[in-house]
Amino acid sequence: MGVVTYEMEVATSVAAAKMFKAFVIDGSTLIPKILPQGIKSIDILEGDGGAGTIKQINFADASHFNYAKERTDAVDKENLTYSYSMIEGDVLAEKLEKITNEIKFEATSDGGCVIKSLSTYYTIGDFELKQEDIKAGKDKSMGLFKAVEGYLLANPDA
């Protein structure tokens, strides 16, 4: 098994607490609403949203993936941190054991925030993750954060 890690930062003009709430607390209902072309639904299969919760992400018909299951590892509302692991689904393509993600929403002096993300890919056997696959994952994450930001800016009372 190999381990590949990458870090990413995304700056947004939305306050850290508001981005955290939209992405983490309300994400299961909000994200499919914001990105219906990519995500059909997010269903909570087990748990209450806290550590140990299992969610199934059902991708839209246009996606080349069907579903992914994620396990919430930790949610810290006070420190605005969230960690989860992708543990099942065709996204892993039988080449990855899991993908873990640690996300921190940090306030900036201009009222916005920086989202810091650390992703770790656990490969199976001698499979080597290509840089273009890592870039594609980063691009999708960036797009997701920017879509949530855009929604919050367009709907300030959300």
Side-chain angles (χ1 to χ4, degrees), residues 1-2 92 94-98 122-128:
M1 173 175 54
L92 300 177
E94 297 181 13
K95 296 177 181 177
L96 298 168
E97 176 187 330
K98 66 180 176 179
Y122 295 84
T123 62
I124 295 173
D126 59 357
F127 173 73
E128 289 188 36

Side-chain angles (χ1 to χ4, degrees), residues 60-146:
D61 295 336
S63 175
H64 55 281
F65 296 119
N66 294 309
Y67 81 101
K69 284 188 183 176
E70 293 180 352
R71 179 190 64 233
T72 300
D73 298 320
V75 177
D76 185 338
K77 294 176 185 177
E78 186 175 311
N79 293 305
L80 305 179
T81 61
Y82 174 56
S83 61
Y84 66 95
S85 298
M86 187 173 298
I87 56 171
E88 185 182 312
D90 52 357
V91 172
L92 300 177
E94 297 181 13
K95 296 177 181 177
L96 298 168
E97 176 187 330
K98 66 180 176 179
I99 304 168
T100 62
N101 297 282
E102 299 173 23
I103 303 170
K104 181 167 182 61
F105 299 78
E106 294 183 353
T108 55
S109 60
D110 64 359
C113 72
V114 172
I115 304 164
K116 295 183 178 183
S117 174
L118 174 68
S119 297
T120 306
Y121 292 77
Y122 295 84
T123 62
I124 295 173
D126 59 357
F127 173 73
E128 289 188 36
L129 198 59
K130 296 177 182 157
Q131 285 302 313
E132 58 261 23
D133 294 330
I134 293 172
K135 183 181 181 329
K138 280 183 170 181
D139 290 347
K140 286 182 181 179
S141 293
M142 178 84 69
L144 179 59
F145 290 130
K146 288 299 186 179

Side-chain angles (χ1 to χ4, degrees), residues 21-55:
K21 183 178 185 307
F23 187 80
V24 178
I25 306 302
D26 300 334
S28 293
T29 55
L30 194 58
I31 291 171
K33 178 180 173 181
I34 296 171
L35 292 170
Q37 70 279 15
I39 298 174
K40 189 184 306 182
S41 66
I42 300 176
D43 303 318
I44 296 178
L45 304 177
E46 192 177 303
D48 61 1
T53 295
I54 304 290
K55 297 178 188 175

